[in-house]
Amino acid sequence: MMGEVPAYTVKRSQRKTLSIYLERDGTISVLAPEHFTDEEIHTIVRRKNFQLYKHLAERDELNATRSLREVVNGETFPYLGRNYRLQLVDAQPVPLLLKEGYFCLKRTDKDKSQEIFKEFYRAKGIPRITKRVEYFRGRMGVETGQVRVMDLQHRWASCSVITGDLNFHWKCMMAPLSILDYIIVHEMAHLKFDNHSDAFWNEVDKIIPDHRERKQWLRVNGAGMDL
Ligand SMILES: [Zn+2]
């Protein structure tokens, strides 16, 4: 498949072959022999497009594992669609507390802090999501199993059509309630339709008529919902 050609810079020199480099910062450099025209270079880059995109995608994945947030005073962490500032504290009975508009975190190293946050989202997520699942269950007419909140990597939610178990990423707890509802209903609709057919979307539509807007919100804001 041919996509759009990514932006690139060209340096011509007295070399015999053309090379395309993906720089550390994600930009693309083309080193070309002097006699190559812009058009020729463009044709070659376009032909290489697929491989370039593959590299870019891999790079994005690497970047994605890098953290978005520092564990420092004043850094913000989202919870149910609102941002709360971080306040590091020396003594506190529990590792993390949401108090008076602040996330109060007992000082520890970064890895440990991230684990503490994940546990916070997970612990808050289970009762809240379970309640919503129970609420939608009757309206949608589906049998559900266990509700889990966990690290699902690149998915917001998953389910088992056999057991009716529903799994949600802890990141879902960073989203506003309306978005969280959309994720829940979307996954519950998969218990009826194990695909994204018209019948599936019709099912979602019955409960969440503005699902397109919510889906779009998630597409735009989802990447920022991480630690
Ligand atoms: Zn789906």
Side-chain angles (χ1 to χ4, degrees):
M1 261 210 307
M2 288 267 183
E4 215 177 293
V5 181
Y8 58 90
T9 58
V10 178
K11 275 190 207 118
R12 285 187 181 78
S13 63
Q14 287 181 323
R15 50 184 295 141
K16 289 200 170 66
T17 56
L18 180 140
S19 303
I20 302 174
Y21 293 98
L22 183 64
E23 304 289 356
R24 282 179 166 279
D25 63 1
T27 60
I28 292 159
S29 300
V30 179
L31 302 182
E34 272 168 342
H35 63 86
F36 270 65
T37 65
D38 285 348
E39 215 154 87
E40 283 169 328
I41 291 168
H42 198 73
T43 304
I44 293 165
V45 174
R46 194 169 51 202
R47 217 182 290 144
K48 291 266 182 195
N49 216 358
F50 180 73
Q51 277 127 311
L52 282 173
Y53 268 120
K54 196 168 163 281
H55 286 303
L56 286 172
E58 281 163 6
R59 183 174 296 271
D60 282 348
E61 260 166 47
L62 288 176
N63 283 340
T65 63
R66 243 187 260 156
S67 62
L68 296 176
R69 295 181 163 79
E70 295 296 321
V71 183
V72 294
N73 278 319
E75 179 68 279
T76 59
F77 289 80
Y79 176 58
L80 296 176
R82 287 179 62 183
N83 281 315
Y84 296 92
R85 264 189 286 170
L86 185 68
Q87 207 165 54
L88 296 167
V89 296
D90 292 314
Q92 196 170 255
V94 291
L96 182 64
L97 211 60
L98 189 55
K99 199 174 76 181
E100 290 154 13
Y102 283 92
F103 266 124
C104 302
L105 176 72
K106 206 159 129 185
R107 246 177 248 278
T108 181
D109 63 66
K110 187 169 179 174
D111 287 350
K112 190 85 207 301
S113 299
Q114 290 193 332
E115 285 311 310
I116 291 167
F117 263 99
K118 286 178 194 174
E119 180 51 31
F120 175 90
Y121 292 120
R122 208 186 65 78
K124 294 282 186 192
I126 288 173
R128 189 175 284 271
I129 294 171
T130 301
K131 243 169 106 180
R132 296 307 281 169
V133 167
E134 281 164 6
Y135 172 72
F136 292 123
R137 192 162 51 196
R139 303 179 66 189
M140 296 175 75
V142 289
E143 290 295 323
T144 57
Q146 213 185 323
V147 172
R148 294 188 203 89
V149 179
M150 59 210 284
D151 202 310
L152 285 177
Q153 279 143 22
H154 59 284
R155 283 178 302 177
W156 292 108
S158 68
C159 67
S160 162
V161 287
I162 298 157
T163 60
D165 289 353
L166 296 158
N167 305 312
F168 297 90
H169 201 300
W170 53 263
K171 289 182 195 176
C172 296
M173 292 303 287
M174 290 180 161
L177 287 172
S178 65
I179 304 301
L180 184 60
D181 271 353
Y182 162 68
I183 297 170
I184 293 167
V185 168
H186 180 122
E187 213 50 41
M188 288 176 76
H190 276 316
L191 295 176
K192 280 191 171 177
F193 302 97
D194 197 12
N195 51 44
H196 290 116
S197 60
D198 287 348
F200 165 84
W201 285 113
N202 192 42
E203 195 64 30
V204 175
D205 195 72
K206 280 188 217 162
I207 309 293
I208 299 183
D210 66 343
H211 59 88
R212 281 178 201 83
E213 285 77 11
R214 301 194 200 189
K215 187 181 177 203
Q216 178 64 9
W217 188 98
L218 200 55
R219 194 176 289 155
V220 172
N221 297 284
M225 286 161 54
D226 206 343
L227 289 173

